[in-house]
Amino acid sequence: MQALQQELWALEGPWVLTHVGDLAWWLHRGAEEDWNRRLWLDGDRCVAWAWLWPPAALDYDVHPEHRGGPVEQEVLEWFESEAGRTDVLTTFVLEGDADRLAILTERGYGASEPLSWYAYHVQELDGELPVPTLPGIPLIQASARCPA
């Protein structure tokens, strides 16, 4: 699972929904009795994983070679089956991930109200950074001298 996330970050950078650190954090939070996880393997290699959070929320990732195909469909089928009878199934997607949005829409998933508390920011660092502006707020500058 972690090896797949490391590979995804090497291939896609910050456009991967789950960080390898997220997996480590989840694994050490306790509540093992609530965990329901599954791996999809191609030989020894993990090509997809899914983590079902009770009652019916899914975090998952699929290697690009298997996205949109039978493996990703099987991940979602597993989730829908394991979640049982519930009115709402929840999973997550970055708004720029048109492929995953299309797959989920095909299966009948729809967007919920935007989650204002979950903001995903990316800033390229290979050029000049813009100077921040604070509208209507005077800028305070540090001084080398301190009053005695």
Side-chain angles (χ1 to χ4, degrees):
M1 203 158 98
Q2 290 189 325
L4 174 58
Q5 286 315 110
Q6 288 172 313
E7 186 177 353
L8 292 177
W9 272 77
L11 291 171
E12 300 173 325
W15 303 111
V16 178
L17 190 58
T18 304
H19 188 275
V20 68
D22 294 326
L23 298 177
W25 174 253
W26 298 342
L27 284 167
H28 292 91
R29 285 182 23 191
E32 289 89 349
E33 66 276 0
D34 291 335
W35 291 352
N36 192 351
R37 296 169 292 164
R38 181 164 172 208
L39 303 177
W40 283 260
L41 303 175
D42 182 4
D44 304 5
R45 184 173 168 232
C46 179
V47 296
W49 61 266
W51 193 309
L52 189 154
W53 302 93
L58 174 70
D59 280 296
Y60 79 100
D61 227 325
V62 179
H63 192 279
E65 294 170 0
H66 297 275
R67 287 186 190 146
V71 171
E72 188 158 9
Q73 294 297 331
E74 190 176 325
V75 168
L76 294 169
E77 288 166 8
W78 171 84
F79 167 53
E80 293 158 3
S81 169
E82 291 293 313
R85 296 176 186 239
T86 183
D87 291 339
V88 178
L89 298 174
T90 302
T91 192
F92 309 94
V93 61
L94 295 173
E95 67 182 357
D97 190 344
D99 294 336
R100 185 175 283 188
L101 281 169
I103 290 163
L104 293 171
T105 301
E106 257 179 40
R107 295 188 70 88
Y109 290 78
S112 62
E113 289 190 28
L115 302 174
S116 60
W117 58 269
Y118 186 80
Y120 190 81
H121 300 281
V122 174
Q123 172 67 54
E124 297 295 333
L125 299 176
D126 57 354
E128 289 293 318
L129 295 178
V131 176
T133 59
L134 303 172
I137 301 173
L139 189 59
I140 299 172
Q141 295 183 346
S143 172
R145 292 179 31 194
C146 295

